[in-house]
Amino acid sequence: MTDRYASFVRSGAGRTLVKRLGLPDPPRLRRHTPGDPIVPGPVLLGAATGGRLAERAGKILAAAGVELPDPGAGESTERFAALVYDATGITDSTGLRQLYDFFHPRARSVLPSGRVVVLGTPPDECGSPREATAQRALEGLTRSIGKEFGRGVTAQLVHVTKDPDAGTWTSLEATLRFLLSGRSAYVSGQVVRVGAGTAVAPADWDRPLDGQVVLVTGAARGIGAALARVLARDGARVVALDIPAAGDELAAVANEIGGSAVQLDLTAPDAPQRLAEHLAERHGRVDVVVHNAGITRDKTLGRMDADRWDSVLDVNLSSQERINDVLLERELIPAGGRIVSVSSIAGIAGNRGQTNYATSKAGVIGLVESLAPALRERQISVNAVAPGFIETRLTARIPLVIREAGRRMNSMSQGGLPVDVAETIGWLAWPASGAVSGNVVRVCGQSLLGA
């Protein structure tokens, strides 16, 4: 779907009108192309006094081929593709001044579509209330930077456990590679937690899913089709699943990526067993399960019939629970496996006329939060993504005024693309991301809706 406003804004007449009237100015976002470097320029790495992560982050970035200028740089005219700051040394509110001292002189030095990443300590792991208070304050900083810097610049906070293991460092590398790259173009204002756990670095970071068997539900179109393409590009053997009515589109996607197609209605009573048998017979396992299948049946709650409620909850939430139960019971998801579910910002903020949908998507968040600790001993991670306004067939049907509001009410002043959701899920699916679990990552351009 074409964003005609964004196209007009990029014209000569459009640029003039935007500046004169102060209209939303959608930037061109830097998205990933295979073979791209992680960042298109130098990355400035700074740290608060006593920070525990700067040295490790520097080694990760240097090994990835990132140029790291002297930390004293940046107060002149030098431009940076990213600013990375280790704030773990801030142990009380007075120490927050160090954030100002680092970011204030460099606020205009970040290139368009640049990146800001702040490294912190999970507040619940802090040694004192004062330290926890200071570390919690970092969220306000990063979310504000994401709204202030503009020009497609994103800002994230990464909480890294105080009790790291080898998996922590591998997953920190995976997280930095994702957040600094074009893969995270429509992700901003997020808090990502990197804990301890099993994580395996790939032999080739351009194919981080090489050899992995990945199931994608709802793969025939939209976000699901983009998912199948991105995961296959990254080396996965994709099992693409959708309902029989979407069989032709599903087959086209599977043939395009060299994957396999499974036609199955996930709400059928025997669907989990049939799916488990297929995966066991054809592949012997499934390394990554991506629960993408979902439907909408919109009505205000007072006008909604029971069938609309039941069908949405069954497809969007209950089917995920049933499939997880069977695959886990039969041990088809091995140690090092991944479960990634698609939620929505509607599950965070709610949405008028979508009580059934919002309930189901909030339930997906609850599923992730409850499963993550339960699956830790089995070395299986579980995370969710929560898309905002994404340009798909569904959003193309939204009335014009509401559609334009959805596009502009975020820090990017534009809708996201299905590939933005797919890239985020791809990162969570990487074997290198095993110590990232229990997260809900919004892919919404830092929407003004919700938290």
Side-chain angles (χ1 to χ4, degrees):
M1 181 169 55
T2 302
D3 185 342
R4 294 184 178 179
Y5 174 82
S7 299
F8 170 71
V9 163
R10 290 163 187 157
S11 68
R15 302 290 318 162
T16 301
L17 195 61
V18 163
K19 291 181 179 179
R20 183 174 300 170
L21 300 180
L23 297 173
D25 186 6
R28 292 184 184 274
L29 302 184
R30 172 171 62 94
R31 290 186 166 91
H32 175 71
T33 299
D36 282 352
I38 297 174
V39 286
V43 173
L44 186 64
L45 176 62
T49 303
R52 61 186 172 85
L53 297 173
E55 182 179 358
R56 177 70 67 163
K59 290 179 179 178
I60 288 172
L61 295 175
V66 173
E67 179 187 350
L68 296 170
D70 183 273
E75 298 187 28
S76 59
T77 58
E78 189 167 1
R79 306 295 297 278
F80 302 101
L83 304 176
V84 177
Y85 189 77
D86 174 10
T88 57
I90 300 176
T91 57
D92 60 36
S93 59
T94 62
L96 295 170
R97 172 58 189 265
Q98 297 177 79
L99 300 171
Y100 173 87
D101 292 341
F102 179 79
F103 287 106
H104 167 70
R106 302 173 176 98
R108 295 176 178 83
S109 69
V110 184
L111 294 167
S113 280
R115 303 288 186 258
V116 174
V117 177
V118 175
L119 305 175
T121 298
D124 61 0
E125 292 186 9
C126 289
S128 70
R130 284 180 178 267
E131 182 183 4
T133 298
Q135 290 297 311
R136 179 60 177 80
L138 300 177
E139 291 189 36
L141 172 85
T142 52
R143 287 179 171 151
S144 296
I145 286 175
K147 294 177 179 179
E148 284 187 3
F149 281 21
R151 300 171 298 118
V153 175
T154 66
Q156 328 288 350
L157 173 59
V158 179
H159 282 153
V160 181
T161 181
K162 271 191 167 181
D163 187 22
D165 59 14
T168 304
W169 305 129
T170 299
S171 289
L172 177 59
E173 178 173 5
T175 300
L176 288 174
R177 282 177 173 270
F178 170 71
L179 293 178
L180 294 176
S181 74
R183 298 175 188 265
S184 61
Y186 204 61
V187 177
S188 190
Q190 299 306 291
V191 181
V192 175
R193 183 162 181 158
V194 180
T198 301
V200 180
D204 181 357
W205 281 100
D206 286 331
R207 290 179 61 83
L209 288 167
D210 210 17
Q212 298 281 291
V213 178
V214 180
L215 169 69
V216 178
T217 69
R221 60 180 72 92
I223 291 172
L227 260 169
R229 295 184 182 103
V230 165
L231 299 175
R233 178 204 70 195
D234 285 354
R237 288 181 285 163
V238 177
V239 179
L241 182 150
D242 216 312
I243 57 175
D248 290 344
E249 290 174 292
L250 181 67
V253 170
N255 290 336
E256 175 190 340
I257 63 172
S260 59
V262 177
Q263 297 183 26
L264 185 64
D265 180 353
L266 294 177
T267 64
D270 62 345
Q273 288 75 20
R274 289 172 58 192
L275 176 59
E277 289 167 5
H278 174 87
L279 292 170
E281 291 173 4
R282 297 290 184 89
H283 304 283
R285 70 185 196 284
V286 57
D287 299 295
V288 181
V289 176
V290 182
H291 293 293
N292 169 70
I295 62 172
T296 57
R297 298 289 184 269
D298 297 350
K299 284 284 184 182
T300 57
L301 186 58
R303 296 176 180 273
M304 185 182 299
D305 58 77
D307 286 344
R308 288 176 184 265
W309 179 275
D310 291 342
S311 60
V312 169
L313 268 293
D314 197 20
V315 173
N316 296 3
L317 179 59
S318 299
S319 69
Q320 293 191 24
E321 294 178 307
R322 293 192 296 265
I323 290 170
N324 288 343
D325 287 348
V326 171
L327 296 181
L328 291 168
E329 180 183 352
R330 296 185 58 168
E331 298 185 346
L332 286 170
I333 305 176
R338 311 278 177 266
I339 299 173
V340 186
S341 294
V342 177
S343 180
S344 167
I345 61 168
I348 297 170
N351 204 10
R352 187 182 187 279
Q354 289 193 317
T355 52
N356 50 0
Y357 183 76
T359 300
S360 70
K361 293 303 185 178
V364 167
I365 294 172
L367 180 152
V368 166
E369 293 175 343
S370 59
L371 269 185
L375 294 180
R376 189 171 294 124
E377 289 187 4
R378 296 179 64 169
Q379 301 176 26
I380 297 172
S381 72
V382 54
N383 296 282
V385 298
F389 187 97
I390 304 297
E391 304 279 2
T392 64
R393 293 184 188 178
L394 289 177
T395 53
R397 299 182 191 136
I398 297 173
L400 176 63
V401 173
I402 299 174
R403 184 169 70 239
E404 282 303 301
R407 280 173 169 160
R408 309 307 161 206
M409 291 178 64
N410 60 74
S411 296
M412 304 298 173
S413 298
Q414 61 192 284
L417 302 179
V419 71
D420 298 322
V421 183
E423 296 281 16
T424 307
I425 291 173
W427 155 59
L428 294 170
W430 294 350
S433 297
V436 178
S437 191
N439 288 267
V440 179
V441 180
R442 289 173 56 163
V443 187
C444 63
Q446 199 176 12
S447 174
L448 302 183
L449 301 176

